[in-house]
Amino acid sequence: MIDGSGNERAHPSKDPDNGRVRLLVVEDDEELRAVLVRGLREAGHAVDAAGTLAEADELCAYTDYALVVLDLGLPDGDGGSLARTLRAAGRARILMLTARDRLTEKVAGFEAGADDYLTKPFDFPELTMRVRALLRRPVTVGGAQLEAAEVRIDTAARKAWRSGVLTPLTTREFSLLAYLMERLGEAVPRTELLEQLWDMNYDGLSNVVDVHVGNLRRKLDLNAPGTVLNLETVRGVGYRMHIDTTAPED
Ligand code: CA
């Protein structure tokens, strides 16, 4: 496999970034691949690169990428087949890149499981903007599972994992976590949480939400250095869960 400069590199380990968001660029045009890798690294992401479907398949077998920037036309096949595989596994978000801008090709791309689509040539700021927008979305993993950076939940089984480790939560803690993950990126008012999850009217005194938020932060290690998923206090409003992808490279 190759990095953006075309040099050989070792297999990345299963979790080389301590939970940091890792991206994969699959593009056979060497120059464009180098530009994409450099630009996305400058935007604060950890990035691997592949020039063929075979290389991409190999990398995806070792690493759970948060997002794959995927060229549709590759020398050893159609990027759509990798999109379908990743989509079936339900892990990565997929941003499809292609020179073909006909509507039928776009439809085929979305049917293959692309989350977003960009036709070449494109402006780099538009690419980074779309990458950020996609990373802010939680990934639906199968029917009842939702994943945001380090945390995955199963809403049917009412279980939560932090970096793959099952984390015991109380019923209320789980409900609060699921509610905030489903509203990822939005400031959710404390009053709304009280009404929706505790069936209480806000009396201006209750700190029950704050206590549960504290428990979630502690149990899921949301304030640990290098953690990408944040549960932030929005002063005077409530709480916002969001993915902070601006963590600097080492
Ligand atoms: Ca190509």
Side-chain angles (χ1 to χ4, degrees):
M1 75 203 69
I2 42 188
D3 65 16
S5 59
N7 297 325
E8 291 287 325
R9 67 184 298 275
H11 274 300
S13 63
K14 187 72 188 167
D15 186 11
D17 310 305
N18 249 333
R20 196 145 52 99
V21 172
R22 181 161 278 265
L23 274 49
L24 175 64
V25 169
V26 188
E27 169 60 65
D28 59 317
D29 182 310
E30 271 183 53
E31 229 172 283
L32 179 56
R33 187 174 62 237
V35 167
L36 287 167
V37 168
R38 191 169 55 243
L40 289 169
R41 283 184 182 153
E42 277 168 10
H45 307 293
V47 187
D48 289 331
T52 63
L53 268 186
E55 285 172 0
D57 278 339
E58 204 185 336
L59 284 166
C60 288
Y62 283 85
T63 305
D64 289 328
Y65 292 101
L67 184 144
V68 179
V69 178
L70 180 61
D71 182 24
L72 194 54
L74 292 162
D76 54 344
D78 192 307
S81 65
L82 178 63
R84 274 184 290 275
T85 309
L86 290 171
R87 180 54 64 202
R91 303 304 296 262
R93 304 159 183 85
I94 296 154
L95 174 57
M96 201 84 99
L97 291 183
T98 183
R100 311 171 213 166
D101 57 359
R102 293 193 301 269
L103 186 62
T104 49
E105 301 286 350
K106 287 192 182 184
V107 170
F110 282 113
E111 277 174 357
D115 296 288
D116 199 2
Y117 207 98
L118 207 51
T119 50
K120 300 175 197 172
F122 52 85
D123 293 326
F124 207 83
E126 181 166 16
L127 176 90
T128 48
M129 192 194 74
R130 292 201 191 196
V131 163
R132 279 194 191 286
L134 282 176
L135 288 174
R136 281 195 296 265
R137 279 196 219 162
V139 187
T140 307
V141 190
Q145 301 204 25
L146 200 63
E147 184 171 302
E150 296 90 352
V151 175
R152 178 165 59 90
I153 60 170
D154 186 320
T155 54
R158 299 186 68 79
K159 286 183 172 159
W161 293 262
R162 204 266 187 206
S163 300
V165 180
L166 184 65
T167 306
L169 297 176
T170 67
T171 306
R172 293 279 201 213
E173 284 163 4
F174 183 86
S175 299
L176 177 63
L177 175 63
Y179 200 88
L180 291 170
M181 278 180 76
E182 277 161 13
R183 298 279 297 275
L184 199 70
E186 291 176 43
V188 183
R190 191 182 273 101
T191 48
E192 179 180 331
L193 293 168
L194 274 169
E195 285 166 14
Q196 295 295 323
L197 304 175
W198 276 268
D199 209 16
M200 285 165 69
N201 289 316
Y202 186 57
D203 59 9
L205 295 171
S206 176
N207 68 344
V208 66
V209 176
D210 315 75
V211 169
H212 281 72
V213 162
N215 291 345
L216 281 184
R217 282 179 177 149
R218 183 169 44 79
K219 289 185 175 184
L220 295 168
D221 226 358
L222 295 178
N223 289 343
T227 300
V228 173
L229 188 65
N230 285 302
L231 178 44
E232 167 194 41
T233 304
V234 183
R235 208 174 279 275
V237 181
Y239 294 97
R240 184 168 80 103
M241 189 164 258
H242 66 106
I243 295 174
D244 181 6
T245 55
T246 58
E249 287 274 347
D250 317 307

